[in-house]
Amino acid sequence: MAPQPVVTGLSPKEGPPGTRVIIRGEFLGTKATDLLGLKICGFDCLLSAEWVSPNKIIARTGPAKGIGDIIVTTRSGGEGISAVQFRALGHHETIGPLKESAVWIDEAPSQNFAWGRRTLVQSGLTPDDPLGLSTEGNEKKNVENLRELFPNASGDLSQENFSPALFLLENHSSTTFADLKAGLNYLNRKVESQKEGQLSFLKSNAGSVIEQLDTLMSIKEKLQADQSQYGTQALNVLEQEIKSSIKESENIFTDVLLRKEKADSTRAVLLALSRHKFLFCLPNTVEKRALAGEYDMVVNDYARAKSRFGKTEIPIFRKVMEEVDQRILQIRRQLHENVIKMPQSVEQQRKLIKALISLEVQQQTGTSINDKLRNIDPAWDAIDARAKYMEKTFKQTFEQFAGKDAQGGEKSKNRDLTQPPNRVLFCEELCEIAAAQLPDLWRLGQMYFTGELRGPNDPRPGDFKRMVLNAIEKYCVYLKVAICATDAEARSLRQSVGFVWPISHSSHDIFKSWLPQCLRYTRITYATLISLDLPSPALDIVQKFIDETRLQCFSNIFEKATQKCSKLGENELWEMGVEDFPGATLLPQRMEELLIETLDEAQQSCINPEIREGNLMETESDGQREVSLRLQKFLLCFCDVIQELAFDSHKEEIPTHNVSQLLGYPNNQQNNTLTSGRFASFSSSTAVTWEQRMLCCLANCAYCNKSFFHRVGKLFERYGYPLSSLAIETARYSVNKLFSNILDAYVEHKGDPLVGTIEPSMYLGAFQWDAEMNIGHLRPYAHECCDNLVAVYSEIYTISPALLRPILEPIVLTISEELARLMSCVQQFSPTGAVQANVDIRLLRDALRLYTNDTGRNYFMEALEAINPPLSSEQIKKADEILDQVKERMKLQLMCFAVKEP
């Protein structure tokens, strides 16, 4: 198969239909019969094509227009391609007498007539080119580029603005100057040859002239024959006949035409009714569709009618349109009433507002009726109606639930405590209302301010902001009234809501446990408002209320914990389980467990902030002060529990002062019975004496002061609370004061009877120090004093050895002071009495040296110095011997005081 035909050249590149085109290229066919098709600008030009060679084809263009390819199709190579394009000019392009064309161009009107004998011979044949030169090889210049140089000129000979320079540039850009001179001479000769006169014209056209004369003679003969037959006025007769025919025809068809006109008018009326059925049915149509809620169809039909008949001058159409306007005005009033009618969804309001705005805009265009709704803003009225409805709903809900309490609904003795109180139900209901209606109000406002629902009136953003803030403030105020703690707080809010929630102590105590649930409802509503992207002032109102409620929840939780703490003493089992502080019971541990439970509950319910909530524990904040206050009350309550256990419990068990066994009254030693083993808990079957409870309370106070309260502070820090040094120090001060009070009571209880028996025991049996006596033993009063101290020592040591010095030191001080007083009252000592007194005092001093302070040692020294006369060296030696013997005999008792406290 031969290669595909390719068109690479074209001359000229533009022209009107019939333009002679020379096509150059490759593989354009092997012979004339090999050429199967030729299309120029999509028009088939095969009939005018002349195959010259495989590289050249000559053809004429068809009636195409625009720019297109030249496609050559051969039997050997198939359909080809084109690298150039031809611009086909329209039929309006003028074809001059010198241009080649596939059709005959009228150069002169006289040349178109053919006279019967022979064809009219042209006076001069005009060549294709006025210069007589061949245009082959002179490709026509780009017309667009040449027009820039000759903006008001043309290269067409037939145009008035013909420019020779432009003609030469377009057609002879490659012709030599010599050829142009020859062409000019040729043009001059042709012009001279066309200057022949009339005679020369007649000579050359004699045959045509003779034929014209013959024709005129023939016409004359026929005219004379008609005059002889019809007369000289033949045309008048014809005119009369024509008029008579017209009159007769009119008489015949008058009735027919009248009936036809009536039928045509009736048909026209019916046609008009059929064509404008939409308009005539429109009043009833819009009313029916408005009743059905199809407001979009009402708007569309009314807009269609206004566009077609709004400016009509036809009376019937104007009358119908006035009726339609009145119906639309009634629909607008109905729509406005429905817009502000609540409750309804935002989508329903949005649909009604859009329909109302569209109808208002359409009706204000070209309508002369008195429109009283012209200045009404339906979107703003809808917003205002929704805000008022929400406030009304708040108030009705408040009055409904508050009225139940006012009627005594919560004072029933048979009330189920597992059911939420009316105030909790009110909070839940109010939060649900706010979470549902506030977003609808905000969405409607956003549609209004973004322009979706805006009418012709200007928006009022300031009023809408105040409306939203007022609604949120009302919501928070109603909640505050419901959860207020006291009647004073409720009365302070009376001015805002006009009604006070009836509060009783019993109902409020029940409500406190439900307050976290109310906080949860409020937080859910707050999260809904945050998702709406409300302005910060609106969200800050709810945030402030939530922070206040969180703080109130914290206070209630700690208040409840404080109440539980106050009851810890009721179940005190006096179990001692503190390893690092013997004597301390499990009471502080139980208090710590209660505190941990309270902190966990507070963290979960109110302390941990949720989204966009404040930190209650900020420095110098109300929350920090409240935490410090609640912790202080909690710890002070614990101190009160210890005090109650030490003083107020079982007052009937407090024993009377012990008296000396030497005076005939037994010492109540059976109450000191303890369970086996040191520092063990009391057996459940063993009665705990008042002294033992006092010692345990002292140990608990000392333990709290030493480490437990500090651990409580660390516990608060672990939960993220700021360390409340004031609360801790206040509690430590209180527990130290309590320790001192319990210690004084215990020392008084143990020391006063013991000291009170020294003097009676000393002078028992009319004993006198100035009388001679047998020496070598310890006096009974000294024995009894040691025994009583051993009993006290054993009781303290068994419970809490750490309390030995705080308790024994004031008792020993009292004993030493009493001995100094008694010795100073003796006027005279016998020699043996002086030795005996020296032995007694020195034994007590040496035995109690570990629990004697400087003041006590001074009292012992005063007692020894009060012996008069002073002992001689022999008496001192004798006293040392007796003292050693007595110490040996009392070794077991003295070993008790020699053991150092742990």
Side-chain angles (χ1 to χ4, degrees):
M1 186 175 182
Q4 184 180 16
V6 179
V7 177
T8 59
L10 186 66
S11 177
K13 292 185 177 181
E14 65 177 5
T19 302
R20 184 171 179 270
V21 180
I22 300 175
I23 303 171
R24 300 183 184 276
E26 298 178 351
F27 314 114
L28 302 181
T30 57
K31 54 185 177 180
T33 57
D34 192 30
L35 183 65
L36 297 180
L38 174 64
K39 290 184 177 181
I40 301 176
C41 294
F43 188 82
D44 191 359
C45 301
L46 181 62
L47 294 178
S48 65
E50 178 185 355
W51 185 85
V52 179
S53 68
N55 298 324
K56 181 177 179 182
I57 296 176
I58 300 175
R60 289 188 179 272
T61 62
K65 187 175 182 181
I67 300 175
D69 295 332
I70 294 86
I71 305 299
V72 177
T73 304
T74 62
R75 190 186 307 277
S76 59
E79 185 175 340
I81 58 175
S82 176
V84 294
Q85 290 184 325
F86 181 79
R87 182 186 180 194
L89 302 177
H91 290 286
H92 66 279
E93 296 287 340
T94 303
I95 306 297
L98 302 179
K99 288 188 177 181
E100 296 179 349
S101 176
V103 297
W104 177 257
I105 304 300
D106 293 339
E107 297 180 358
S110 61
Q111 296 177 358
N112 292 333
F113 293 100
W115 302 93
R117 297 180 181 177
R118 59 190 178 90
T119 306
L120 184 63
V121 180
Q122 296 181 3
S123 62
L125 297 176
T126 303
D128 292 340
D129 188 81
L131 298 179
L133 302 175
S134 175
T135 59
E136 185 175 351
N138 289 284
E139 294 185 357
K140 201 169 186 179
K141 293 293 182 180
N142 192 343
V143 179
E144 299 295 335
N145 295 335
L146 293 176
R147 286 175 181 173
E148 296 178 359
L149 299 175
F150 301 92
N152 298 321
S154 174
D156 191 352
L157 288 172
S158 64
Q159 301 296 325
E160 295 181 358
N161 57 346
F162 171 73
S163 173
L166 181 59
F167 173 79
L168 292 177
L169 289 173
E170 288 181 348
N171 299 280
H172 295 283
S173 61
S174 300
T175 304
T176 61
F177 183 70
D179 291 341
L180 291 176
K181 289 174 64 178
L184 180 60
N185 294 331
Y186 173 80
L187 184 60
N188 289 331
R189 289 194 302 272
K190 288 297 180 181
V191 172
E192 292 295 334
S193 65
Q194 292 180 1
K195 292 182 179 181
E196 299 177 355
Q198 297 181 356
L199 181 61
S200 174
F201 176 76
L202 292 175
K203 288 180 179 180
S204 60
N205 297 285
S208 298
V209 173
I210 292 174
E211 284 187 0
Q212 294 172 6
L213 292 174
D214 293 341
T215 302
L216 290 175
M217 290 301 295
S218 176
I219 293 173
K220 180 179 178 182
E221 291 175 357
K222 290 182 178 182
L223 181 59
Q224 290 176 353
D226 289 338
Q227 287 180 355
S228 61
Q229 184 178 358
Y230 298 105
T232 57
Q233 301 296 328
L235 294 178
N236 295 333
V237 175
L238 179 61
E239 182 181 2
Q240 292 296 328
E241 292 295 332
I242 291 174
K243 288 182 178 180
S244 176
S245 299
I246 291 174
K247 183 177 181 181
E248 187 65 22
S249 64
E250 288 179 353
N251 293 332
I252 294 173
F253 292 103
T254 297
D255 295 338
V256 176
L257 291 176
L258 289 176
R259 291 194 299 269
K260 183 178 180 300
E261 288 178 0
K262 186 176 181 180
D264 290 343
S265 62
T266 303
R267 191 180 299 108
V269 171
L270 294 176
L271 181 61
L273 289 174
S274 177
R275 288 182 59 188
H276 304 293
K277 178 181 179 181
F278 161 76
L279 176 63
F280 294 115
C281 297
L282 187 60
N284 293 330
T285 301
V286 295
E287 188 172 357
K288 291 180 180 179
R289 287 179 173 172
L291 292 175
E294 299 175 354
Y295 297 107
D296 294 339
M297 299 296 296
V298 173
V299 172
N300 293 335
D301 291 346
Y302 186 59
R304 178 183 170 190
K306 292 290 288 186
S307 63
R308 293 180 59 182
F309 305 102
K311 297 181 180 180
T312 183
E313 298 296 332
I314 301 176
I316 185 64
F317 290 169
R318 291 181 61 183
K319 183 177 180 181
V320 174
M321 285 303 300
E322 289 177 359
E323 183 178 358
V324 172
D325 289 337
Q326 292 295 336
R327 298 288 179 90
I328 292 297
L329 186 60
Q330 295 176 3
I331 293 174
R332 285 175 55 197
R333 293 192 184 99
Q334 180 183 356
L335 278 175
H336 188 267
E337 293 175 358
N338 293 338
V339 162
I340 62 177
K341 185 179 180 181
M342 297 298 294
Q344 60 178 317
S345 65
V346 175
E347 292 302 324
Q348 180 66 18
Q349 275 189 312
R350 173 175 169 270
K351 178 182 177 182
L352 298 177
I353 293 170
K354 279 192 170 184
L356 189 56
I357 292 175
S358 299
L359 291 176
E360 180 181 358
V361 172
Q362 294 293 336
Q363 194 163 31
Q364 288 179 357
T365 304
T367 301
S368 60
I369 63 173
N370 184 16
D371 189 357
K372 297 181 180 180
L373 300 176
R374 189 180 301 273
N375 296 324
I376 293 179
D377 192 344
W380 179 255
D381 292 344
I383 293 172
D384 184 63
R386 184 167 289 277
K388 291 180 179 178
Y389 172 74
M390 181 167 54
E391 292 185 11
K392 179 181 178 182
T393 307
F394 287 167
K395 184 177 181 180
Q396 290 178 349
T397 306
F398 178 84
E399 293 176 350
Q400 175 187 355
F401 285 93
K404 293 180 181 180
D405 281 358
Q407 296 172 3
E410 286 190 354
K411 296 181 180 180
S412 176
K413 297 181 179 179
N414 298 325
R415 186 183 182 278
D416 187 2
L417 297 181
T418 61
Q419 297 298 323
N422 285 329
R423 286 199 283 174
V424 178
L425 297 176
F426 165 73
C427 292
E428 180 181 7
E429 183 70 19
L430 192 70
C431 290
E432 290 180 357
I433 294 173
Q437 296 192 18
L438 276 173
D440 289 346
L441 177 64
W442 180 254
R443 286 172 51 203
L444 193 62
Q446 293 304 302
M447 294 178 188
Y448 175 67
F449 289 106
T450 55
E452 182 180 355
L453 301 180
R454 187 184 305 170
N457 299 322
D458 295 332
R460 293 180 277 183
D463 295 343
F464 179 70
K465 182 178 180 180
R466 285 191 295 271
M467 187 181 296
V468 173
L469 293 177
N470 182 60
I472 295 178
E473 287 177 354
K474 288 286 186 181
Y475 162 71
C476 294
V477 166
Y478 279 113
L479 288 178
K480 286 180 182 179
V481 173
I483 67 174
C484 58
T486 62
D487 291 333
E489 294 179 4
R491 285 192 295 269
S492 66
L493 296 171
R494 179 192 293 269
Q495 186 176 1
S496 300
V497 297
F499 192 87
V500 176
W501 197 294
I503 299 177
S504 63
H505 294 291
S506 59
S507 63
H508 185 70
D509 292 339
I510 296 172
F511 175 74
K512 285 182 179 179
S513 60
W514 291 91
L515 187 59
Q517 189 68 23
C518 297
L519 176 61
R520 174 50 47 197
Y521 296 147
T522 310
R523 280 176 162 174
I524 294 174
T525 304
Y526 186 45
T528 303
L529 298 182
I530 291 175
S531 63
L532 299 178
D533 196 19
L534 291 173
S536 296
L539 295 176
D540 291 342
I541 297 174
V542 186
Q543 178 192 350
K544 181 180 179 182
F545 170 74
I546 289 179
D547 290 344
E548 293 175 354
T549 307
R550 289 168 59 198
L551 196 58
Q552 187 173 346
C553 282
F554 177 83
S555 301
N556 291 341
I557 291 172
F558 259 81
E559 183 178 352
K560 181 175 66 175
T562 304
Q563 294 175 357
K564 291 182 179 180
C565 180
S566 64
K567 299 178 181 179
L568 290 177
E570 297 177 0
N571 300 320
E572 176 60 43
L573 300 178
W574 305 100
E575 298 178 7
M576 293 180 286
V578 182
E579 296 180 357
D580 56 346
F581 206 97
T585 66
L586 296 181
L587 184 66
Q589 180 180 345
R590 291 168 57 196
M591 190 272 279
E592 183 178 7
E593 293 173 354
L594 175 61
L595 184 59
I596 293 175
E597 178 184 351
T598 303
L599 292 176
D600 287 335
E601 182 182 357
Q603 288 291 113
Q604 295 175 3
S605 61
C606 58
I607 293 301
N608 289 334
E610 295 187 1
I611 181 172
R612 207 185 181 281
E613 291 183 0
N615 182 11
L616 296 181
M617 300 298 111
E618 291 181 352
T619 306
E620 300 298 330
S621 64
D622 294 338
Q624 186 174 357
R625 288 188 289 270
E626 184 68 19
V627 169
S628 177
L629 177 61
R630 291 299 169 180
L631 176 59
Q632 180 177 334
K633 289 184 177 181
F634 185 81
L635 297 179
L636 293 179
C637 178
F638 181 69
C639 295
D640 294 339
V641 171
I642 298 177
Q643 181 177 356
E644 182 180 356
L645 289 173
F647 294 109
D648 298 338
S649 298
H650 311 292
K651 292 183 178 181
E652 67 278 1
E653 297 181 7
I654 299 178
T656 58
H657 290 173
N658 294 336
V659 295
S660 174
Q661 297 180 16
L662 300 176
L663 300 178
Y665 295 94
N667 196 5
N668 190 17
Q669 295 295 328
Q670 67 275 13
N671 291 333
N672 293 333
T673 304
L674 300 174
T675 57
S676 60
R678 287 184 59 208
F679 317 138
S681 300
F682 298 107
S683 173
S684 58
S685 60
T686 304
V688 182
T689 64
W690 182 81
E691 292 87 349
Q692 291 169 341
R693 291 199 301 270
M694 295 279 282
L695 292 174
C696 290
C697 291
L698 285 172
N700 286 335
C701 290
Y703 172 59
C704 291
N705 181 49
K706 180 180 179 182
S707 60
F708 180 68
F709 283 169
H710 178 71
R711 192 164 68 186
V712 168
K714 292 296 182 182
L715 180 63
F716 263 68
E717 288 183 336
R718 191 176 70 193
Y719 276 85
Y721 296 91
L723 179 61
S724 179
S725 301
L726 177 62
I728 299 297
E729 293 301 323
T730 303
R732 292 181 67 180
Y733 172 79
S734 298
V735 82
N736 286 336
K737 185 177 180 181
L738 178 60
F739 180 86
S740 300
N741 294 336
I742 298 176
L743 180 64
D744 292 343
Y746 186 83
V747 169
E748 180 182 357
H749 176 70
K750 290 295 184 180
D752 289 354
L754 191 149
V755 173
T757 59
I758 294 177
E759 184 175 0
S761 300
M762 181 183 294
Y763 294 104
L764 187 65
F767 173 80
Q768 295 294 329
W769 288 106
D770 56 353
E772 291 295 331
M773 62 190 72
N774 295 323
I775 58 175
H777 300 280
L778 200 64
R779 287 281 298 154
Y781 79 91
H783 264 294
E784 185 180 39
C785 186
C786 287
D787 292 341
N788 288 336
L789 286 174
V790 168
V792 174
Y793 181 96
S794 64
E795 184 178 65
I796 299 172
Y797 190 82
T798 304
I799 302 298
S800 178
L803 298 175
L804 287 173
R805 179 173 296 277
I807 296 176
L808 290 181
E809 189 173 281
I811 295 176
V812 171
L813 178 61
T814 306
I815 292 173
S816 63
E817 183 180 4
E818 180 66 14
L819 289 176
R821 184 186 69 80
L822 293 175
M823 291 298 109
S824 63
C825 292
V826 178
Q827 299 295 328
Q828 185 69 34
F829 288 87
S830 65
T832 56
V835 173
Q836 185 65 48
N838 184 275
V839 170
D840 295 341
I841 295 172
R842 288 174 61 190
L843 177 69
L844 292 174
R845 183 192 65 181
D846 295 343
L848 303 174
R849 66 183 182 278
L850 294 179
Y851 305 99
T852 307
N853 55 21
D854 294 339
T855 305
R857 283 190 287 270
N858 292 333
Y859 281 133
F860 278 119
M861 185 61 66
E862 290 180 7
L864 291 175
E865 292 177 352
I867 299 175
N868 187 25
L871 272 67
S872 62
S873 58
E874 292 182 359
Q875 288 177 317
I876 293 176
K877 183 178 179 182
K878 182 64 175 178
D880 291 339
E881 292 176 357
I882 296 173
L883 181 60
D884 292 338
Q885 294 174 4
V886 171
K887 285 182 178 180
E888 183 65 27
R889 289 193 297 268
M890 297 181 63
K891 183 177 181 180
L892 184 61
Q893 292 92 327
L894 298 180
M895 285 178 59
C896 176
F897 298 112
V899 178
K900 293 184 179 181
E901 57 184 286

